[in-house]
Amino acid sequence: MQEIRFHGRGGQGAVTSAEVIAEAAIELGLWAQSMPSFGPERRGAPVLAYLRVSKEPIRIRAEVAKPDIVVVLDDSLIFTIDVASGLKADGLLVINSTQSEDIIRKETGFGGKIARIEALKIAMECLGVPITNTTMIGALIKASGIIPLEAAQKQLSHRFNPKLAEKNATALKKAFESTTIYAPKKISAAGKKAAAKKATWRDILPGALVENPGGSKANLTGDWRSQMPVYDKEKCSKCGLCYVFCPDAAITIRDDKYVDFNYDYCKGCGICAMECPADAIAMEAGKKKK
Amino acid sequence: MAQKYNIKNMPREEFFASGHRGCVGCCLALAVRLAAKALGPDIIVVNATGCLEIISSAYPETAWEVPWIHTLFENTAAVASGVEAAYKVMKRKGYFPADRPVKIVAMAGDGGTADIGFQALSGALERGHEFVYICYDNEAYMNTGVQRSGATPYGASTTTSPAGKASSGQKTWKKNMPLIAVAHNIPYVATANPSYPFDLMNKVSKAKDVKGPAYIHVFAGCPTGWRSPSDTPVELGKLATQTGVFPLYEVENGKWTMKVESQLKPVKEYLTASQGRYKHLSEETINIIQDRVTREYAELKSRCGIV
């Protein structure tokens, strides 16, 4: 049995990835299960999906704690959470990233086999949207051979209308061809992240009282971003509408009436760019700060 | 005196902080952020279960800079009534300064208002508690994954009114909550839309000054549930008003006034503007919706005394 954990962000399609492979495996006569796991979170927030594929019936129904393969759809996650948690040393990490192998190894603390793919680029080229799920399936198949590529392609044609299926199949194939595999490498264990300490029931005040107004500011939603606003001060007419329309209060008006973007919180929705009457804001793919 | 807001005088202070977990492009978050600016710091927010509660209060964090209490779906207006009654007594006994009034503000979604919290709201309006009730209407149960509510418009595809071979989406018409609020003969009812931010803030400010219950029905674009690109909800909001799908009006002590569109755009422009939930609509269904919108808009105009 192969156990796989998908790390993505809401809306990227981690759940769909797991489902597509499970359905393809079942059609091939294998046994499979897939399940999503997420909290009260939204499009852009971290989500998990689990997948099991086996030649035998699968009795276990629990979440995957010790995966053989981890698939990361969004490499900003490696900086905030321990994606390699429980991943077997001889396992496989499939990651959508433009980062170098060294940075990926350092951030994840994983010394095993890594398959890297620049999935965002392929998704934008083939699909025109920053949804990397089918692209990641291509990379996963290349690195693990968990199912044949054709089986995944067939699933896509079940799932999507012919036009969209075609586009996704192209993305899948392109990903399959352009995945880079890195052989296992010895690394120092120093970079390993400590798991964040979660509050338990003992820490909760009577009435579930929350004492710090505006405490959500500790939650830097800027890492949900898949595209970022780029501001052209020359074109800005100082109308302030971007400030008015920002759902995340991530834009502030300076004393000189120009605006500042707070990339710690900007989720990259693009409303500011859409509403700017002077075309002074453009959305660019990627989530880089400053 | 109610404030008239513009870009120059709108408060720079945020009472609904960054870091909330609203979806990318969430117009409910935008509406609440603007409303909170107009309400100011001296409020107590009573918030039903729903998107707003979930995105603003991931324990142990809160996006609120003002006192806030979470209620169930069904009892938001009842809790607000209780808070208001307690506030009156505590003010009389000197726990609150007499010269710094505190406003009770209830917030709930369309499901929490038109469906589950309906009877508590009706009771609170009828009893005449002095509070502002803001319904943010994203037109389905978005928080739990887009199930239809009483406020889901005709033809919209949701997970429980799916469009397919045998069905063309929601089969019933949107429940007219503002009109139901008007039927309670309360001093102030308004519809608002964050695509018209200063109009929204002015109405909230007016509602804050009302002696008695005030009800504001706010249109809240939802890219997730409407299957729209995240940068479109403000534009969609404008189209909803420009086509007459979501007209903006006020009813002050029984007197109706509205923002009249000199030339209504065809509803087709709104329905076919990057909304996945309406993608399946046939010409025939669009015509049915157009007829209904035209008729209701004419009724509204006649209520406002506009011929």
Side-chain angles (χ1 to χ4, degrees):
Chain A
M1 181 170 67
Q2 289 210 292
E3 293 186 297
I4 306 178
R5 188 173 66 216
F6 289 78
H7 288 267
R9 292 186 180 274
Q12 288 176 336
V15 177
T16 312
S17 301
E19 272 175 25
V20 166
I21 297 175
E23 281 164 6
I26 289 166
E27 210 159 286
L28 290 167
L30 298 167
W31 299 82
Q33 60 178 213
S34 79
M35 51 194 153
S37 162
F38 45 84
E41 300 287 25
R42 303 286 143 174
R43 198 193 281 201
V47 296
L48 291 173
Y50 304 114
L51 168 68
R52 289 191 177 90
V53 177
S54 172
K55 291 192 174 112
E56 307 292 321
I58 303 166
R59 300 285 174 213
I60 190 167
R61 290 291 182 273
E63 58 187 31
V64 173
K66 293 203 168 75
D68 301 285
I69 305 174
V70 165
V71 182
V72 180
L73 280 77
D74 185 319
D75 71 350
S76 67
L77 290 165
I78 63 175
F79 300 100
T80 49
I81 55 176
D82 183 9
V83 293
S85 166
L87 177 58
K88 292 173 185 162
D90 60 350
L92 165 68
L93 174 70
V94 184
I95 184 164
N96 163 26
S97 182
T98 51
Q99 306 282 359
S100 69
E101 182 196 356
D102 287 346
I103 292 180
I104 296 169
R105 291 209 186 276
K106 185 172 161 271
E107 290 298 329
T108 57
F110 180 62
K113 184 175 163 189
I114 292 179
R116 186 179 69 92
I117 173 102
E118 293 187 21
L120 190 63
K121 211 174 113 204
I122 296 173
M124 291 309 283
E125 275 171 23
C126 300
L127 308 170
V129 287
I131 298 177
T132 50
N133 50 3
T134 43
T135 323
M136 293 307 288
I137 294 174
L140 173 64
I141 291 174
K142 172 76 179 280
S144 70
I146 187 162
I147 51 166
L149 191 65
E150 298 72 45
Q153 270 163 344
K154 199 170 153 202
Q155 270 314 309
L156 294 177
S157 62
H158 291 334
R159 203 170 183 80
F160 299 114
N161 65 44
K163 217 172 118 197
L164 202 56
E166 169 91 39
K167 282 186 185 173
N168 275 289
T170 315
L172 189 75
K173 193 150 178 290
K174 201 158 183 187
F176 184 82
E177 285 158 3
S178 52
T179 304
T180 320
I181 312 270
Y182 300 99
K185 201 173 175 182
K186 261 216 161 83
I187 54 157
S188 73
K192 193 86 180 153
K193 276 185 203 56
K197 191 183 170 287
K198 275 191 178 160
T200 68
W201 62 272
R202 286 188 185 84
D203 305 311
I204 295 176
L205 295 170
L209 194 66
V210 175
E211 284 181 312
N212 53 336
S216 66
K217 279 178 275 194
N219 183 34
L220 302 183
T221 49
D223 70 355
W224 298 14
R225 195 164 57 230
S226 62
Q227 48 173 6
M228 66 180 288
V230 178
Y231 176 49
D232 183 351
K233 203 177 150 189
E234 298 300 315
K235 286 190 191 163
C236 177
S237 63
K238 306 198 243 187
C239 69
L241 278 181
C242 52
Y243 159 78
V244 175
F245 282 121
C246 179
D248 292 284
I251 300 175
T252 45
I253 301 185
R254 285 190 236 159
D255 289 343
D256 63 5
K257 302 284 191 289
Y258 289 109
V259 294
D260 282 323
F261 289 79
N262 188 337
Y263 292 110
D264 281 346
Y265 301 114
C266 169
K267 293 173 187 160
C269 65
I271 289 179
C272 52
M274 180 71 100
E275 297 308 316
C276 177
D279 277 336
I281 304 169
M283 298 306 289
E284 280 180 12
K287 52 175 73 196
K288 286 199 183 62
K289 283 181 187 177
K290 275 138 209 164
Chain B
M1 218 2 235
Q3 265 281 5
K4 286 269 181 231
Y5 287 104
N6 56 43
I7 180 71
K8 288 202 180 77
N9 73 356
M10 74 185 279
R12 294 289 185 261
E13 208 177 344
E14 302 290 348
F15 301 102
F16 189 69
S18 301
H20 66 72
R21 289 154 199 245
C23 294
V24 179
C26 174
C27 265
L28 139 66
L30 171 61
V32 169
R33 173 181 163 241
L34 295 169
K37 279 175 183 280
L39 289 163
D42 295 338
I43 58 168
I44 297 170
V45 178
V46 179
N47 187 184
T49 299
C51 278
L52 178 58
E53 172 250 331
I54 291 289
I55 68 171
S56 68
S57 71
Y59 192 87
E61 291 164 4
T62 174
W64 292 94
E65 303 274 8
V66 292
W68 177 91
I69 182 170
H70 168 222
T71 71
L72 302 178
F73 254 125
E74 54 270 50
N75 62 355
T76 317
V79 171
S81 305
V83 173
E84 191 252 4
Y87 167 67
K88 276 202 299 207
V89 172
M90 289 171 84
K91 194 165 127 181
R92 196 165 64 226
K93 292 187 173 174
Y95 292 101
F96 282 95
D99 57 346
R100 195 180 157 187
V102 174
K103 193 76 188 189
I104 316 304
V105 181
M107 293 192 189
D110 50 297
T113 302
D115 300 346
I116 311 175
F118 186 72
Q119 62 93 4
L121 172 62
S122 179
L125 297 182
E126 170 266 313
R127 290 189 301 271
H129 292 279
E130 196 173 319
F131 76 124
V132 181
Y133 190 100
I134 296 178
C135 167
Y136 57 87
D137 183 2
N138 47 24
E139 306 197 313
Y141 289 89
M142 298 313 184
N143 174 44
T144 45
V146 201
Q147 291 84 14
R148 59 82 76 186
S149 79
T152 302
Y154 182 83
S157 176
T158 69
T159 52
T160 49
S161 64
K165 285 191 190 109
S167 154
S168 62
Q170 174 80 336
K171 286 190 167 59
T172 57
W173 295 91
K174 186 182 178 77
K175 191 186 283 185
N176 195 333
M177 265 317 290
L179 193 61
I180 293 169
V182 171
H184 287 77
N185 282 317
I186 57 173
Y188 188 75
V189 176
T191 60
N193 182 339
S195 302
Y196 300 87
F198 303 120
D199 178 70
L200 183 148
M201 291 177 71
N202 292 343
K203 283 170 175 165
V204 171
S205 171
K206 217 181 238 185
K208 193 187 169 193
D209 288 351
V210 166
K211 302 282 170 236
Y215 177 89
I216 303 185
H217 197 89
V218 179
F219 193 72
C222 175
T224 307
W226 298 3
R227 286 179 270 134
S228 315
S230 64
D231 57 352
T232 55
V234 172
E235 287 302 300
L236 288 175
K238 286 180 195 165
L239 275 174
T241 296
Q242 288 161 358
T243 54
V245 169
F246 191 89
L248 298 180
Y249 60 91
E250 288 176 287
V251 187
E252 288 171 87
N253 298 310
K255 190 178 178 310
W256 291 65
T257 48
M258 71 185 289
K259 175 187 179 294
V260 186
E261 297 293 326
S262 52
Q263 184 68 55
L264 276 191
K265 288 184 177 171
V267 292
K268 194 176 175 183
E269 271 189 46
Y270 168 67
L271 298 174
T272 55
S274 60
Q275 295 195 66
R277 61 174 178 161
Y278 289 132
K279 205 173 56 185
H280 59 282
L281 291 188
S282 64
E283 279 301 318
E284 197 190 343
T285 320
I286 291 176
N287 288 337
I288 294 173
I289 296 172
Q290 180 67 66
D291 287 348
R292 174 95 173 201
V293 168
T294 311
R295 181 161 54 80
E296 287 190 348
Y297 203 77
E299 280 171 13
L300 177 62
K301 273 165 81 174
S302 82
R303 284 198 180 97
C304 297
I306 302 161
V307 190

